[in-house]
Amino acid sequence: GENVEQHPSTLSVQEGDSAVIKCTYSDSASNYFPWYKQELGKGPQLIIDIRSNVGEKKDQRIAVTLNKTAKHFSLHITETQPEDSAVYFCAASKSNYQLIWGAGTKLIIKP
Amino acid sequence: ETGVTQTPRHLVMGMTNKKSLKCEQHLGHNAMYWYKQSAKKPLELMFVYNFKEQTENNSVPSRFSPECPNSSHLFLHLHTLQPEDSALYLCASSQEPVGSTDTQYFGPGTRLTVL
């Protein structure tokens, strides 16, 4: 069935450095790719998303890139700060409500 | 806050107990969801309601029984659970119903422990 693989499962970076999280999806018909951030004790919250007609999208320090041919997409966080520490989830969807989720990446920002 | 509240935040129950989880959204959304979140696993969609009608049941065991009395409230009734049902149960809502890629807004979850 459809699945989304997410790597790495844990990522530790020095404050101020960049972090990159990668996801690969299996269904070539997928056309919507959101990224959610989950802080301790909270539910996931959407931080950025991209649709298949766009190759890259930026919002301040975060950006997402999409390679439809290779069926993978990535989250880039620049100038990381302590508040970026959280679990990040990627997901893929075919224009329906059912998101297929990755297993999550725990991002640790070292001071 | 996201506008989606869940109660209780923590629940410990025995395998023979009956309990209910409650979710309320204050966003005027039309769709509501129940997810199960286990450690280091993808979120598992359990149930979807659009305009109070259940439109998805992802092969969830009958010991989980959802109820959606109106577009703002969603319940998950639990009975005779198993220890492997211990997890974080998340409720979410979205403005648009089936067929949309609308943003889902999540509550903080109920941490369930089955003894």
Side-chain angles (χ1 to χ4, degrees):
Chain A
E2 303 170 37
N3 73 291
V4 173
E5 293 191 5
Q6 184 171 347
H7 299 281
S9 56
T10 305
L11 178 60
S12 183
V13 302
Q14 205 70 38
E15 182 179 350
D17 288 350
S18 295
V20 181
I21 302 170
K22 299 181 179 181
C23 288
T24 303
Y25 59 98
S26 61
D27 191 337
S28 57
S30 296
N31 59 4
Y32 174 64
F33 308 91
W35 286 88
Y36 281 77
K37 174 184 181 182
Q38 185 174 23
E39 297 177 278
L40 201 60
K42 297 183 178 181
Q45 292 189 38
L46 180 73
I47 55 171
I48 195 168
D49 57 13
I50 192 168
R51 298 182 189 272
S52 59
N53 59 346
V54 176
E56 183 176 4
K57 185 177 179 181
K58 289 184 180 180
D59 183 3
Q60 299 182 359
R61 294 186 299 108
I62 60 173
V64 57
T65 58
L66 172 65
N67 183 328
K68 287 191 296 182
T69 303
K71 292 192 287 186
H72 66 69
F73 56 112
S74 300
L75 177 71
H76 304 253
I77 305 174
T78 59
E79 300 173 12
T80 53
Q81 300 170 4
E83 53 265 35
D84 295 329
S85 294
V87 179
Y88 291 80
F89 292 93
C90 63
S93 172
K94 291 187 295 186
S95 292
N96 61 39
Y97 57 87
Q98 186 147 348
L99 294 171
I100 307 300
W101 296 81
T105 295
K106 183 176 183 179
L107 178 62
I108 301 166
I109 308 300
K110 297 180 291 186
Chain B
E1 297 303 323
T2 63
V4 181
T5 59
Q6 290 187 242
T7 55
R9 294 293 307 276
H10 301 271
L11 178 62
V12 179
M13 59 187 289
M15 289 191 286
T16 58
N17 291 159
K18 289 184 180 181
K19 297 287 184 183
S20 296
L21 310 185
K22 179 182 176 181
C23 175
E24 182 174 2
Q25 57 97 358
H26 311 272
L27 302 168
H29 287 171
N30 297 309
M32 296 187 77
Y33 314 76
W34 278 119
Y35 284 92
K36 176 182 179 182
Q37 184 176 31
S38 303
K40 299 186 178 181
K41 286 186 176 181
L43 272 68
E44 299 174 46
L45 180 65
M46 300 174 71
F47 302 104
V48 181
Y49 278 81
N50 291 302
F51 297 104
K52 305 185 299 178
E53 300 297 321
Q54 184 176 321
T55 57
E56 190 75 22
N57 177 339
N58 277 0
S59 303
V60 180
S62 60
R63 56 186 184 268
F64 294 92
S65 175
E67 178 190 0
C68 188
N70 55 60
S71 297
S72 299
H73 294 85
L74 186 64
F75 295 89
L76 188 62
H77 304 299
L78 316 171
H79 63 97
T80 58
L81 294 192
Q82 305 298 311
E84 59 264 30
D85 297 322
S86 298
L88 182 69
Y89 288 85
L90 292 163
C91 172
S93 71
S94 64
Q95 174 64 45
E96 296 298 327
V98 178
S100 165
T101 54
D102 207 32
T103 301
Q104 294 184 19
Y105 292 81
F106 285 83
T110 295
R111 174 67 62 186
L112 175 67
T113 302
V114 181
L115 301 177

